[in-house]
Amino acid sequence: MIRFVLADLKRLWAGSVVIVLLIALAVALGVGVSLQERALRLGSARAADKFDLVIGAPGSETQLILSSVFLQPSALPLISGDNLIDLSEDPRVDWAAPVGFGDFHAGYPIVGTTTTLIDRTGSGFAAGHIFDVEGEAVIGSAVDLAIGETITPTHGRLSEGGHAHGGVTYTVAGKLNPTGTPWDRAILVPIQAVWHVHGLGHEEDEDHDHEEEEAGHDDHDHDHAEEAGHHDDEDEHEHGHEGIDPDAPLDEHWHRGAVPGLPAILVKPKTIADAYKLRQEYRGNGQTLAVFPGEVLTSLYATLGDMKKVLAVIAAGAQLLVAAALLLVTVIHVGQRRRQIGALRAFGAPGGAVFGIVWLELFVLVAGGVLLGFALGYAAAQVLSGIFAAERGFGLPVAFAAEDGVLLLVLLAVAAVLALLPAVLAYRQAPAEALRG
């Protein structure tokens, strides 16, 4: 029976290939959507896993997480730098680290932060060491630079009209091991260097008497600091940049009133209870916004889930159309093979054998299309994940789960049922009538 089926499929190979491809494409659509949505959930959850609490200015929670955790460029409003001091001195906090962004080099985001963040969230160094002076930088594993190379920061992306900071350069001092997060594509520099590049933070190096003499200019300086923190191009051209001292030692012990505004602070509470208390405290004061990245991602997942449902309905509709077309084609095909079926019966083939041949032939076609569809869906998800990882900096793990196995069994069961109709038609066909026809 199997040899007969294979010989028949070989004889009708062109039509068989078309049927298999139609089924495969319909199945691949649904499988690809499911795999990609699951990969996005897993990848984004892993990327945010190291950050328990993020504190920024009141506004969009989603944008705060996208900018501070996933390093998506956006101009965030600033919060007072004194919040960093308060958090650093809070007994409920294990560590707190500022982040400042807005500059780029060769498309890679430059992020100002502290040695604390690198020590606590990094996975060690593949080469080199952490930055020791203001003019050094640490690069992520996916940054295509070597130790000792020079980095010239640009305000914004050059492709989007950004401009280089004149006379400001960093030297690559170390390269981190892969983390599987957007930070693999980041260039990390001392936060004090980011402040100094944008004309902020120099007042902490001045003595108290000089600060009093300049008190009359406080309001103007504060306005300038906020505008520079927002990276306003026109303001930067007007006022210029202070620049950095590449050999200046790092000073990560700040004084109240001397820390410039910050777009975000990443916080590691000591306990879960402390995390909720800090979130409540910095969420309800009207001046800051505290969010758990996991909560924001859950909200995004809900949106993704709705999109997945819509795409799943589209995929199911495509599969139903293919199934209906396949039934029509096979019924016509059985009708055209009446003489062949009649000859088989006339030569003594039992009705059950004819039923089995027709059923098996159609089941092989549908099952082959289903299996090929799973393979195509997986391949498509892998390609899309690779493109996403190259653009966004973190990988999306594409893998089959138990629910995919259940789906495969269901589709194969549907294929078995689908093949029954033409098989029954062939079984009920009378040999004499078929030969006369």
Side-chain angles (χ1 to χ4, degrees):
M1 180 187 299
I2 295 178
R3 292 175 62 185
F4 185 89
V5 168
L6 293 177
D8 206 31
L9 291 177
K10 183 178 180 180
R11 182 173 62 88
L12 303 171
W13 67 270
S16 300
V17 169
V18 171
I19 291 174
V20 170
L21 287 179
L22 283 174
I23 298 171
L25 292 175
V27 172
L29 177 59
V31 171
V33 168
S34 179
L35 289 175
Q36 194 65 50
E37 189 264 348
R38 185 187 305 129
L40 186 57
R41 287 174 180 260
L42 292 175
S44 58
R46 291 178 185 177
D49 184 58
K50 295 180 181 293
F51 306 108
D52 293 347
L53 183 66
V54 180
I55 296 177
S60 170
E61 296 182 358
T62 301
Q63 190 58 63
L64 177 61
I65 296 303
L66 291 178
S67 296
S68 59
V69 175
F70 294 94
L71 304 183
Q72 299 303 302
S74 178
L76 295 178
L78 307 181
I79 59 174
S80 171
D82 288 345
N83 288 293
L84 177 60
I85 298 176
D86 293 337
L87 289 165
S88 300
E89 297 174 351
D90 197 313
R92 299 168 296 179
V93 175
D94 185 15
W95 57 264
V99 288
F101 28 75
D103 290 342
F104 293 84
H105 173 76
Y108 300 111
I110 295 178
V111 182
T113 187
T114 61
T115 56
T116 299
L117 182 72
I118 298 175
D119 289 336
R120 298 302 184 92
T121 64
S123 55
F125 282 83
H129 57 83
I130 201 167
F131 44 66
D132 294 323
V133 294
E134 191 170 312
E136 290 184 336
V138 170
I139 59 176
S141 62
V143 177
D144 189 18
L145 295 172
I147 302 298
E149 285 197 59
T150 299
I151 296 170
T152 301
T154 61
H155 175 68
R157 300 178 188 269
L158 289 177
S159 60
E160 299 173 357
H163 60 274
H165 293 298
V168 178
T169 59
Y170 301 102
T171 302
V172 178
K175 188 167 189 174
L176 294 168
N177 288 318
T179 63
T181 71
W183 295 73
D184 286 343
R185 296 188 71 256
I187 298 173
L188 308 179
V189 300
I191 186 68
Q192 73 181 54
V194 173
W195 290 337
H196 292 168
V197 165
H198 295 93
L200 309 174
H202 287 288
E203 61 269 20
E204 64 187 79
D205 299 324
E206 300 173 355
D207 58 31
H208 182 68
D209 292 338
H210 183 67
E211 289 178 356
E212 288 184 348
E213 291 175 4
E214 297 296 330
H217 300 285
D218 280 351
D219 293 338
H220 172 75
D221 290 343
H222 178 70
D223 292 340
H224 176 63
E226 286 194 350
E227 291 173 5
H230 282 285
H231 307 296
D232 188 299
D233 290 344
E234 181 179 350
D235 182 75
E236 287 180 355
H237 283 301
E238 180 180 348
H239 294 281
H241 300 290
E242 296 290 341
I244 64 172
D245 179 0
D247 299 319
L250 300 186
D251 183 7
E252 297 181 351
H253 301 284
W254 302 292
H255 306 287
R256 194 173 301 278
V259 180
L262 298 168
I265 303 174
L266 305 177
V267 183
K268 177 70 174 180
K270 290 184 176 179
T271 66
I272 295 178
D274 291 336
Y276 278 94
K277 290 178 181 177
L278 288 166
R279 175 178 175 271
Q280 181 63 31
E281 180 177 329
Y282 282 87
R283 193 181 184 91
N285 59 13
Q287 298 178 347
T288 56
L289 175 68
V291 297
F292 296 142
E295 286 187 347
V296 176
L297 291 178
T298 299
S299 176
L300 290 177
Y301 295 157
T303 303
L304 288 175
D306 293 339
M307 295 174 60
K308 180 185 175 183
K309 291 178 182 177
V310 174
L311 292 175
V313 170
I314 295 175
Q319 292 165 6
L320 288 175
L321 289 175
V322 170
L326 180 60
L327 273 178
L328 178 61
V329 169
T330 52
V331 169
I332 295 174
H333 182 59
V334 169
Q336 292 175 341
R337 296 175 62 189
R338 291 181 63 196
R339 293 181 62 84
Q340 182 186 19
I341 294 171
L344 287 173
R345 296 294 301 275
F347 282 113
V354 174
F355 175 92
I357 289 173
V358 176
W359 179 88
L360 182 60
E361 185 172 329
L362 183 57
F363 178 76
V364 168
L365 289 176
V366 178
V370 169
L371 294 175
L372 180 59
F374 268 75
L376 290 177
Y378 180 83
Q382 285 282 18
V383 171
L384 291 175
S385 295
I387 295 173
F388 187 93
E391 293 181 351
R392 302 302 180 185
F394 65 98
L396 304 182
V398 178
F400 287 112
E403 60 191 80
D404 298 312
V406 174
L407 175 62
L408 176 60
L409 293 177
V410 169
L411 290 177
L412 291 178
V414 170
V417 173
L418 191 66
L420 288 176
L421 178 58
V424 169
L425 292 176
Y427 176 80
R428 297 182 61 182
Q429 187 170 281
E433 180 183 350
L435 292 174
R436 284 197 303 266

